[in-house]
Amino acid sequence: METYFADGEPWKKVFGPFLVYLNSDPHQGNYSALWEDAKRQMLIDAESWPYNFTQSEDFPPSSQRGTVTGQLLIRDRYISKKDLWADSAYVGLAAPGEAGSWQTETKGYQFWARADTSGSFTITNVRAGAYNLYAWVPGTVGDYKYETTVTVTPGSLIKLGSLVYESPRSGPTLWEIGYPDRTAAEFHVPNPSPLLLNKLYVNLKPDWFRQYGLWERYGELYPEDDLVFTVGTSKYQKDWFFAHVTRNKGNSTFEPTTWQVKFELRDVSPKETYTLQLALASATFSEIQVRFNDPKMGKPLFTTMLIGSDNAIARHGIHGVHHFYSIQVPGSYLQKGSNTLYLTQARARGLFEGVMYDYLRLEGPPNSL
């Protein structure tokens, strides 16, 4: 996520202002009260942004900023004949680029808002400039980009009206694993080693993944054979490990690991094309190879090639940069009855090479409802 400049290109960017808040408690030792007080103050100051006390010409006040409003709808004819509201979508303005480019864009400013249940959004206090409007929707795969450049001027109110995001979809859902929210939080996050337990997170289940060394539990849970997930029987909340990592063989050596997804198909159309929608919540110097029904196939059906450097696994995170792939699967690779999807994390030079999955979905051929 580096920032690049042309020779002689001028650039500046404001970071801040920052608030330092010092509080005290007459009943010494009541740390919980201090923490709650600090959080209240944080909310007060967040609501006061952008601050008007600054004197820098590079930090425009509210009156010199603009507002962008609209409504985002989702079109997925395999779910509904009508366009659906993009409930709780994240909608933002960032530098012009490809869909999803905002994830690694650091040169310009970004302004984001959360849509309501009807997909309506209001992005306030936007600096003057030219932007693309981007969005992603919890429960829906892929990235949205509004193709028209949005130019914000001081004091402007831009009404975009209703926008439609046609989510990536090739056919009806045959099976799915996880929930598309760009994190691995819904999967099995194991208990930490008692020697590494951070008591701060003991009672904070949503942040349980912030314990140190959780990736090492994979080798303890699967010392020889790798994870096997059976569609219709296994539950991803407890049977799908949150991180697909290497196996530590000792003496600073590691080996690739291959996960299996077993599933049944009542019928297969050999001449039709199926689709595997594969979303990754994080990747660190990894390569996911995809094979169906033949784990020894020399050339995989699909490979991500070498991707990722967000290091979320090592840094106790649950997501990094999102990666999304729509993988075409020839029907000849599948068979009536029992099938197995093999997912190999093929890079194994170190401890932290691995991915976190966000969501997997196998779709049937188009119009095969």
Side-chain angles (χ1 to χ4, degrees):
M1 299 184 190
E2 297 178 0
T3 303
Y4 299 94
F5 306 94
D7 288 345
E9 177 185 357
W11 178 83
K12 58 182 176 181
K13 188 175 185 180
V14 175
F15 291 89
F18 298 92
L19 169 71
V20 177
Y21 178 62
L22 305 178
N23 59 3
S24 61
D25 176 45
H27 309 291
Q28 296 180 6
N30 191 355
Y31 304 122
S32 180
L34 290 172
W35 177 238
E36 294 302 321
D37 175 62
K39 289 194 292 183
R40 283 192 295 269
Q41 187 64 40
M42 178 192 68
L43 293 175
I44 292 172
D45 277 88
E47 289 296 322
S48 301
W49 184 91
Y51 313 109
N52 292 322
F53 62 80
T54 56
Q55 300 299 310
S56 171
E57 63 180 12
D58 297 316
F59 190 85
S62 298
S63 61
Q64 296 300 307
R65 297 171 181 250
T67 299
V68 177
T69 68
Q71 182 186 34
L72 185 65
L73 306 174
I74 300 170
R75 182 169 296 163
D76 187 336
R77 294 297 180 250
Y78 287 93
I79 294 179
S80 172
K81 293 182 179 180
K82 297 181 179 180
D83 293 342
L84 303 172
W85 291 337
D87 182 0
S88 303
Y90 292 87
V91 187
L93 296 165
E98 300 299 321
S101 61
W102 56 268
Q103 291 190 100
T104 54
E105 205 291 310
T106 60
K107 203 169 185 178
Y109 294 92
Q110 298 193 22
F111 302 89
W112 288 80
R114 194 86 187 265
D116 62 18
T117 55
S118 69
S120 297
F121 61 88
T122 299
I123 308 174
T124 60
N125 294 306
V126 182
R127 294 175 66 109
Y131 302 89
N132 276 157
L133 184 133
Y134 305 95
W136 67 272
V137 188
T140 301
V141 297
D143 276 285
Y144 171 77
K145 173 190 171 183
Y146 181 53
E147 292 299 333
T148 302
T149 299
V150 178
T151 301
V152 177
T153 57
S156 62
L157 171 59
I158 300 174
K159 299 180 180 180
L160 298 178
S162 294
L163 313 175
V164 178
Y165 171 43
E166 193 160 347
S167 176
R169 168 75 76 166
S170 298
T173 299
L174 300 179
W175 53 259
E176 59 185 348
I177 299 173
Y179 177 77
D181 62 354
R182 302 184 175 232
T183 83
E186 69 268 32
F187 299 128
H188 174 55
V189 179
N191 292 326
S193 166
L195 296 177
L196 301 175
L197 178 67
N198 185 335
K199 295 181 180 179
L200 177 63
Y201 300 110
V202 167
N203 296 317
L204 297 176
K205 196 60 177 178
D207 290 322
W208 189 242
F209 61 86
R210 297 192 184 279
Q211 300 285 347
Y212 180 80
L214 295 180
W215 61 87
E216 294 181 334
R217 296 300 314 279
Y218 179 79
E220 299 172 15
L221 295 171
Y222 303 94
E224 299 295 337
D225 300 322
D226 286 316
L227 182 149
V228 177
F229 186 93
T230 303
V231 173
T233 302
S234 302
K235 304 296 183 182
Y236 65 77
Q237 296 90 339
K238 65 182 183 69
D239 298 318
W240 190 273
F241 198 76
F242 81 105
H244 189 167
V245 293
T246 57
R247 179 178 287 105
N248 191 340
K249 300 297 290 183
N251 296 321
S252 298
T253 60
F254 304 85
E255 66 178 8
T257 53
T258 298
W259 291 11
Q260 300 179 42
V261 178
K262 295 185 176 294
F263 60 97
E264 299 283 330
L265 293 177
R266 290 183 295 179
D267 295 292
V268 173
S269 302
K271 296 183 179 180
E272 297 283 356
T273 300
Y274 295 68
T275 302
L276 176 66
Q277 307 287 12
L278 175 63
L280 304 179
S282 171
T284 304
F285 304 122
S286 302
E287 177 186 356
I288 295 296
Q289 298 177 351
V290 175
R291 296 175 174 85
F292 282 90
N293 293 322
D294 184 1
K296 298 182 180 180
M297 180 189 302
K299 182 179 180 181
L301 170 66
F302 172 83
T303 174
T304 62
M305 303 300 287
L306 179 63
I307 56 169
S309 59
D310 56 48
N311 218 21
I313 295 173
R315 297 190 179 279
H316 324 156
I318 204 64
H319 75 90
V321 175
H322 187 259
H323 300 264
F324 178 74
Y325 306 93
S326 290
I327 304 167
Q328 292 190 334
V329 184
S332 58
Y333 279 64
L334 304 172
Q335 58 195 20
K336 182 178 180 180
S338 299
N339 291 265
T340 303
L341 163 63
Y342 296 92
L343 299 168
T344 300
Q345 201 301 92
R347 306 283 174 147
R349 295 182 302 174
L351 180 64
F352 297 122
E353 293 170 337
V355 304
M356 296 182 190
Y357 294 98
D358 171 33
Y359 178 72
L360 299 91
R361 181 173 75 209
L362 183 64
E363 298 172 356
N367 304 315
S368 60
L369 287 172

